[in-house]
Amino acid sequence: MRDTGEFLFTSESVSEGHPDKVADRISDTVLDAFLTADPYSRVACETLCTTNRVVLAGETRGPDSVTHEQLEHLTREAIKDIGYDQAGFSWKHASVEIHLHAQSADIAQGVDSAGNKDEGAGDQGIMFGYACTETPSLMPAPLHYAHLVLRRINELRRAGDASVAGLQPDAKSQVTLRYVDGKPVGATSFVISTQHDEGVALSRIKEQLTPLIESCLPEGWMPPHDEIYINPTGNFVIGGPDGDCGLTGRKIIVDTYGGAAPHGGGAFSGKDPTKVDRSAAYAARYVAKNVVAAGLADKCTIQVSYAIGVAKPLSVYFDLAGTGKDVDEEKLAKVVQEMVNLSPRGIREHLHLNRAIYVPTSSYGHFGRTPDEDLGTFTWEKTDLAAELKRAFGR
């Protein structure tokens, strides 16, 4: 996003019951099952879900103790936890097909460390990280509020709160904010589409959600009444995988920065940390967030690139979008690489990624979340490099 003039910018989010997010949740459930059994398991699991059918496919390398029977049970438990026991998609009755097979030996020989060879990247690719000062989590504001309203609805739904009675797991949001000189100043429109029980009146859903939207936005940011669109089609009873096929990795912009920053070509869910699509994107966010947290810039974009089987990144690029505080971007790239080993092994060890921590990432964004020391989740959201970065630039 530019830093001058007045403009509108929009981001969207989807709930954990959205069919693509159901697929992401199942793929990350499989990943966590393997990492629980062996922290060095290799997993690349894709999931398809449609009307009362779930199909898992991909490659794994891990202990035989992780059986197809266990994975089917965990898949059903994930669907149950999301809240699906509907005629068209039920944790009890859905068919679960598992087509996971051994990881390619050609990929394994490039990724595995051996002799003097360090662990290589699991694939080629480019990954981006981003941070900005628009919100306390250093995330873009449109995506922040799009996520927030869906998380609030979901928390209330899970708690059985009467304020959202009749709402079902599938939902989407979209937030448009007005920017003046690069800073968000208010919402011009807000869209929510949420699945609901048969017979629930649209007027009731609007009464339920309008005050909830207002509670999620800063004071004075509420859009005009006629720019609040709640279930604009009028009816949303058939939803989830029964209403639309879900696939792993199809919400990569929702998972990252809502379109406010570039995105590489790879998705995250279902991939173990040797896959730099995931781990290097986490590392890039970690670095960008610490640069902004250190006060070196108001915005920071970082790009890193890799070749399959090669340990060192091929390039590291910084763009501070003209917001750097007397910081040379080339120097910043060198300083950061001295602080953080951006090889796949270095990232995995620095951020402690070889653990069963991925199910919580499968909905409401991989970034802008609160690290949990006890669970070891979202370590890439820590700002423990900020003080060292300040010292490196004489702050």
Side-chain angles (χ1 to χ4, degrees):
M1 287 184 284
R2 61 179 185 266
D3 295 314
T4 58
E6 185 172 328
F7 59 91
L8 304 181
F9 194 85
T10 304
S11 293
E12 69 162 349
S13 180
V14 296
S15 71
E16 65 182 69
H18 184 280
D20 294 330
K21 283 288 139 195
V22 174
D24 285 345
R25 167 70 178 270
I26 293 169
S27 290
D28 276 333
T29 295
V30 171
L31 172 60
D32 279 357
F34 273 95
L35 292 178
T36 297
D38 178 358
Y40 298 97
S41 294
R42 301 286 169 76
V43 178
C45 176
E46 312 292 344
T47 301
L48 175 150
C49 50
T50 184
T51 303
N52 269 332
R53 184 176 298 274
V54 177
V55 180
L56 279 64
E59 304 79 47
T60 65
R61 191 174 80 191
D64 293 338
S65 60
V66 183
T67 64
H68 283 193
E69 290 76 16
Q70 179 190 2
L71 295 179
E72 177 180 344
H73 171 73
L74 291 172
T75 295
R76 294 187 187 281
E77 288 298 303
I79 296 168
K80 180 182 180 181
D81 182 64
I82 293 169
Y84 279 116
D85 190 12
Q86 302 170 0
F89 194 69
S90 168
W91 68 274
K92 298 175 186 174
H93 307 302
S95 166
V96 179
E97 301 176 22
I98 300 176
H99 303 281
L100 297 170
H101 59 82
Q103 183 187 53
S104 162
D106 292 343
I107 293 176
Q109 71 177 356
V111 176
D112 292 347
S113 58
N116 293 325
K117 177 187 174 298
D118 197 359
E119 180 182 306
D123 202 351
Q124 71 175 48
I126 56 173
M127 297 83 209
F128 290 91
Y130 180 72
C132 63
T133 56
E134 293 179 13
T135 59
S137 62
L138 305 185
M139 287 289 286
L143 183 64
H144 172 83
Y145 294 112
H147 282 324
L148 180 59
V149 70
L150 293 186
R151 290 187 72 180
R152 290 270 178 89
I153 293 171
N154 181 63
E155 288 165 0
L156 292 169
R157 180 182 64 84
R158 282 176 169 271
D161 195 289
S163 66
V164 295
L167 301 190
Q168 291 291 327
D170 192 3
K172 301 179 75 170
S173 65
Q174 184 173 287
V175 181
T176 300
L177 298 186
R178 183 166 67 93
Y179 282 74
V180 176
D181 294 330
K183 296 182 179 180
V185 297
T188 62
S189 67
F190 211 113
V191 183
I192 295 182
S193 296
T194 179
Q195 185 186 17
H196 57 86
D197 292 343
E198 184 75 63
V200 177
L202 178 59
S203 58
R204 176 183 166 188
I205 297 172
K206 290 181 176 180
E207 289 174 1
Q208 290 173 310
L209 296 187
T210 300
L212 193 149
I213 292 171
E214 187 167 14
S215 72
C216 290
L217 290 171
E219 187 175 355
W221 277 37
M222 194 70 167
H225 181 75
D226 60 357
E227 291 296 334
I228 299 173
Y229 302 92
I230 296 175
N231 281 16
T233 65
N235 205 48
F236 187 4
V237 173
I238 301 172
D242 186 32
D244 190 12
C245 179
L247 294 170
T248 299
R250 206 159 56 176
K251 287 291 177 283
I252 57 177
I253 299 303
V254 170
D255 286 343
T256 54
Y257 306 104
H263 194 293
F268 301 156
S269 288
K271 297 178 180 177
D272 75 77
T274 66
K275 278 69 171 181
V276 285
D277 282 338
R278 183 171 216 159
S279 58
Y282 289 177
R285 162 63 178 174
Y286 173 66
V287 168
K289 184 174 184 180
N290 275 273
V291 168
V292 174
L296 302 184
D298 292 332
K299 292 183 180 181
C300 178
T301 301
I302 174 176
Q303 183 206 61
V304 290
S305 67
Y306 295 86
I308 187 168
V310 178
K312 68 179 181 66
L314 305 187
S315 65
V316 179
Y317 164 80
F318 278 88
D319 180 5
L320 303 181
T323 69
K325 313 295 176 61
D326 297 320
V327 174
D328 178 78
E329 288 157 337
E330 288 187 19
K331 179 184 176 182
L332 181 60
K334 293 178 182 177
V335 168
V336 163
Q337 290 181 84
E338 291 170 358
M339 294 181 183
V340 182
N341 179 353
L342 292 175
S343 71
R345 177 184 55 78
I347 293 170
R348 171 172 54 78
E349 293 178 351
H350 190 101
L351 297 178
H352 308 291
L353 298 181
N354 278 103
R355 294 178 293 176
I357 57 173
Y358 295 103
V359 163
T361 70
S362 62
S363 55
Y364 310 112
H366 293 244
F367 308 130
R369 308 289 290 275
T370 302
D372 189 310
E373 294 289 346
D374 294 330
L375 298 177
T377 52
F378 301 103
T379 55
W380 50 93
E381 290 297 313
K382 294 181 178 180
T383 54
D384 52 356
L385 286 184
E388 191 175 356
L389 281 166
K390 285 181 179 181
R391 289 193 295 271
F393 286 87
R395 306 301 163 86

